[in-house]
Amino acid sequence: MDQASPIAVSPYRVFSRQEWASLRADTPMTLTDEDIARLQSLSDPISLDEVVEIILPLSRLLSLYVEATQGLYHATRTFLGGNGSKTPYIIGVAGSVAVGKSTMARVLRALLSRWPNTPKVDLITTDGFLLPNAVLKREGLMERKGFPDSYDLPALLAFLTAIKAGKRGVTAPVYSHLVYDIVPGETTAIDRPDILIVEGLNVLQTSRLPRDGRAVPFVSDFFDFSVYIDADETVIRRWYVERFQRLRKTAFRDPASYFHRYASVDDAEAEAIAEGLWNRINLVNLRENILPTRPRADLILVKGENHAVDRVALRRL
């Protein structure tokens, strides 16, 4: 018997950019050029066309998914006799460093929050759950920052448990990219949102399952929908180096910046430093931890060299 082709047995339905863009239907565009300029990060340019053709159809899909999920929540409450708190819909956004997760998450949040029923949409990054630098240095993990073992996983799981349980005023630590560390004593509060977007490198990461069958929650167990932003690793490397060069001329010039020492080096030395950081840390994390989680996503956005999404893969239901 002939084996089925990989395409025939794929759990995903794949769309070209044009096919995906057509699924916007009549969903209105509620962001202006000024909104998009404010939401995009320095290292991840995004055009109005990208928002209209890629993120707007995703917003429409999510509106349908959220509505259907809310129906399930209501059915469960009825079954339980009316008990149960408001349950937020949680969306995970994963992918490599420099691939554009932050801009995607911010634009998606802005679109979702402008639905006709104006849901409350919050955004949190897992950077706040990184272990403080003092701990990472003590444990010899500074060059594994962003790897799964550099996070306070129990704290992140406790946060998501409280959010999913509908608790009020759930707090998370705050991370500063300027000083490259957790800000002592500073927190941000998430208060019963309708939708919560969780953005981070390893949010789809799993761990070894116990042989005795006891429950081991993963971060993704709390997600109702997940997005993986993908690109060829050589392209991401170039974006990473270009971002480093831009930051060297902007944020790194601040004396308070953790990377201030790189602001005064010349272009050639800066490129060599960025290449070293990429090869030694970020590429290893991508290959060992991040990329292997791609098949766990509900939606995969595949970017080309110009930062634009070329094709979309949506998991079949």
Side-chain angles (χ1 to χ4, degrees), residues 22 39 91 132 197 222 228 234 236 265:
S22 71
L39 292 167
I91 302 166
I197 300 173
F222 297 90
Y228 184 97
T234 60
I236 304 175
V265 303

Side-chain angles (χ1 to χ4, degrees), residues 217-259:
F218 307 137
V219 170
S220 59
D221 287 341
F222 297 90
F223 295 166
D224 297 285
F225 191 87
S226 57
V227 179
Y228 184 97
I229 305 177
D230 194 23
D232 186 86
E233 67 179 39
T234 60
V235 174
I236 304 175
R237 178 197 58 78
R238 177 168 58 80
W239 293 343
Y240 177 80
V241 173
E242 291 172 350
R243 181 179 75 172
F244 188 90
Q245 294 281 27
R246 283 191 290 268
L247 289 172
R248 183 173 61 87
K249 299 173 183 178
T250 53
F252 292 177
R253 293 190 180 277
D254 188 329
S257 171
Y258 179 86
F259 297 103

Side-chain angles (χ1 to χ4, degrees), residues 199-222:
E199 178 253 305
L201 296 171
N202 284 297
V203 294
L204 297 178
Q205 185 71 35
T206 61
S207 60
R208 187 181 299 277
L209 294 171
R211 295 178 66 86
D212 61 7
R214 293 183 179 178
V216 177
F218 307 137
V219 170
S220 59
D221 287 341
F222 297 90

Side-chain angles (χ1 to χ4, degrees), residues 39-41 43-46 55 58 91-109 123-127 146 151 177 197-204 227-231 236 239-240 243 278 282 285-286 290-291 293 301 303 307 309:
L39 292 167
Q40 70 180 348
S41 66
S43 59
D44 182 36
I46 189 169
I55 309 181
L58 174 56
I91 302 166
V93 178
S96 170
V97 63
V99 80
K101 299 184 304 301
S102 297
T103 295
M104 168 66 70
R106 287 195 293 266
V107 172
L108 182 59
R109 178 193 184 188
L123 168 63
I124 195 96
T125 72
T126 57
D127 291 343
Y151 291 90
H177 287 276
I197 300 173
V198 180
E199 178 253 305
L201 296 171
N202 284 297
V203 294
L204 297 178
V227 179
Y228 184 97
I229 305 177
D230 194 23
I236 304 175
W239 293 343
Y240 177 80
R243 181 179 75 172
W278 171 260
N282 296 294
N285 196 17
L286 173 60
I290 302 169
L291 185 59
T293 70
L301 301 176
K303 286 187 169 185
H307 290 274
V309 172

Side-chain angles (χ1 to χ4, degrees), residues 152-173:
D152 186 347
L153 184 58
L156 177 54
L157 291 172
F159 169 82
L160 291 171
T161 298
I163 290 292
K164 206 64 171 172
K167 292 186 178 180
R168 308 209 62 146
V170 184
T171 59

